[in-house]
Structures are given as structure tokens and as C-alpha cells.
Amino acid sequence: MSKHIPAASLAAYTAGDPALDDTAVWTIEVHLENCGDCRARLAAAAPPALTTLLDDVQVMIDRGVRTGPEPVRRRAWRHFAHRWAMWELVPWLATIAVAVAAAFFLDRTFPQRPSLVLLLAPIAPLAGMAVAWSRRRDPGWEIVAGTARAGLELMLRRTTVILAVVLPPLALAGWRLGMSPALWLLPALTFTAATLLLGGRIGVVRAAAILGGAWFLAVVTPAVITADIPVLIEPASAPGWAVAALAGTVLAVWRAGDYRHANPR
């Protein structure tokens, strides 16, 4: 093409002449991107109706830019909830609460067998924690993970919500069964801290699966089969759980940087 678009070609392009093939249209449009003179000729050749329409659209756009849309008012409780939790946690937390209730009724029905509430307490928060920092479960994970406060701080927020939901049913069940709070609270905190610590290295989902599976296979299954009370849930084990919970919490905070590179899956 010469320095400028020929008048006939420009007129055909303006009128939308079907005789122009794709190559010709592409050549004209590329030239228009870099030639102000031809763009001015194109504007002058436009039909009056089209010019009027474009002017009206420009006025509407300018008016919209100046006024802008009204800001969406968000309720305070929704803002708080989005910072601390996500809706995908609700069914998992409900399932945990139902499991604790079922364990309580089984303990009341079969008091001679090892307490299922105590056996369930250490791993009760783990299912919720696995969902709380999961790429597959959280639809907004990419956005959340890219924020400045993502990592251990976000995980601690969501873990706090999980514990706030899981611990009250355990406390109620333990109180009704006459158990010491240390027997169910300390193991739950220990496994929570261990999941946070290990999750920074291999991912929270894998950490929860490994710790929960190990406890279920090594402690819960033998206790259910043999009806013997495991040493790990007897009153004498409380000091050991306290030390483990404190050590796990300190180490998880110390290794907070692992969550900047942790695999969430």
C-alpha cells in the first residue's frame, strides 16, 4: 500500500463493501493504527448517522466516567467473614459436629468401651484445616494466595474459626461425659499445631491426611477392635500432650516462612 489509503479503498472500507477480502481489510486497519491522517479521512467519510451515534456514545461514556457507579455497600459481618473463613468450610464443619455428636451418643450407650469422643478429639479439626488452605476447595485461592497477608497469617485466621466451631461440641460432650478438658483439648491443639508445622513443608491437605490417617490406624482402630483404652488418651498422658502442643505451636510460628512457598494441594 502507498503512503496513504487510496480514496476508493477507504470508501469501500467505510461502507463495509463485501468485495474487500480479509487481507485488504487487515491491511487497511493496520495502516489506520499508525496514520492519523487516514483516520481523519475515515472519520470525515463516515455517514452522518454513524457520526451522530458515535458522538452520543462518547457523551454517555464521559458522563459515566465523571459520575461513576455507586459504591457497593458491604455489610460489616460479610467483610469480617470473608477475612476469616469461606463458605466451603460450612459443610465440613457441620460434618465434624455431627461426628462428635455421634461419638457422644455411642459413649453414652457403651460406657465400658474406650471413649470415641477422646479418640476423635485429636483429629476433629483436621478435615476443616485441609479445606481451609486448598487450591481445589477454595474458588478464590489464586486471589487470596496473592495477597500480602496470605500464608500462615491467613491459615491461623481460618484455623481459629475451625477451632471455635469444633471445640464447643467437644467441650459439651466432655462435660456431659465427666471428662477432664485436658484429655480432649490438648490432643486437639497438638494435632492442629502439628498440621500447621508439617503443612508448611508438604501442604496442609497432605499433612492433615498423614497425621489423621496415622492416628486412626495406630490408635483408633486398635482401640475399637480390642476395647482397650489407649495410653495416649489416659489422664496420665495430659502433661505430654501439653508439652507437645506448646512445642508444636512454637515451631509452627518459627517456620511461618514455609507458607510462602507451601504447596496447598
Side-chain angles (χ1 to χ4, degrees):
M1 182 175 291
S2 61
K3 183 176 180 181
H4 295 292
I5 302 174
S9 299
L10 188 62
Y13 177 80
T14 304
D17 190 349
L20 287 175
D21 56 21
D22 293 340
T23 302
V25 171
W26 177 82
T27 303
I28 292 172
E29 291 178 346
V30 170
H31 182 84
L32 288 172
E33 291 178 359
N34 302 288
C35 182
D37 293 339
C38 288
R39 288 197 300 270
R41 292 170 54 207
L42 176 65
L50 178 59
T51 304
T52 303
L53 176 61
L54 292 176
D55 291 340
D56 293 340
V57 171
Q58 182 179 2
V59 171
M60 294 175 61
I61 293 176
D62 291 341
R63 184 185 301 116
V65 171
R66 287 195 304 269
T67 58
E70 295 184 0
V72 178
R73 297 181 179 179
R74 296 181 61 183
R75 296 182 179 179
W77 68 270
R78 288 186 177 180
H79 180 67
F80 177 82
H82 291 165
R83 293 178 59 189
W84 286 79
M86 58 183 186
W87 289 112
E88 285 69 20
L89 283 173
V90 175
W92 291 91
L93 295 178
T95 302
I96 295 171
V98 171
V100 173
F104 168 75
F105 286 111
L106 288 173
D107 284 355
R108 293 290 296 268
T109 305
F110 305 100
Q112 71 280 5
R113 300 185 66 85
S115 172
L116 290 178
V117 172
L118 293 183
L119 292 173
L120 178 63
I123 59 176
L126 301 191
M129 293 181 66
V131 179
W133 190 243
S134 171
R135 184 194 301 270
R136 294 188 177 94
R137 298 295 180 182
D138 188 355
W141 186 89
E142 286 79 5
I143 298 175
V144 173
T147 60
R149 293 191 173 183
L152 184 61
E153 180 179 348
L154 177 63
M155 191 63 205
L156 287 177
R157 287 175 181 265
R158 293 182 173 179
T159 300
T160 300
V161 173
I162 294 167
L163 291 177
V165 175
V166 172
L167 294 186
L170 288 174
L172 179 61
W175 172 66
R176 295 291 295 175
L177 294 172
M179 299 174 180
S180 170
L183 293 180
W184 57 264
L185 178 60
L186 293 176
L189 295 180
T190 299
F191 270 74
T192 299
T195 302
L196 290 174
L197 176 60
L198 187 60
R201 305 293 295 178
I202 65 173
V204 178
V205 177
R206 292 192 181 99
I210 291 173
L211 293 175
W215 175 261
F216 188 83
L217 293 176
V219 179
V220 177
T221 302
V224 172
I225 294 175
T226 63
D228 295 331
I229 299 177
V231 177
L232 292 176
I233 64 172
E234 290 184 349
S237 65
W241 284 114
V243 173
L246 179 60
T249 302
V250 172
L251 290 174
V253 174
W254 180 56
R255 300 295 303 181
D258 291 341
Y259 275 86
R260 298 175 184 174
H261 311 287
N263 182 359
R265 288 176 283 180

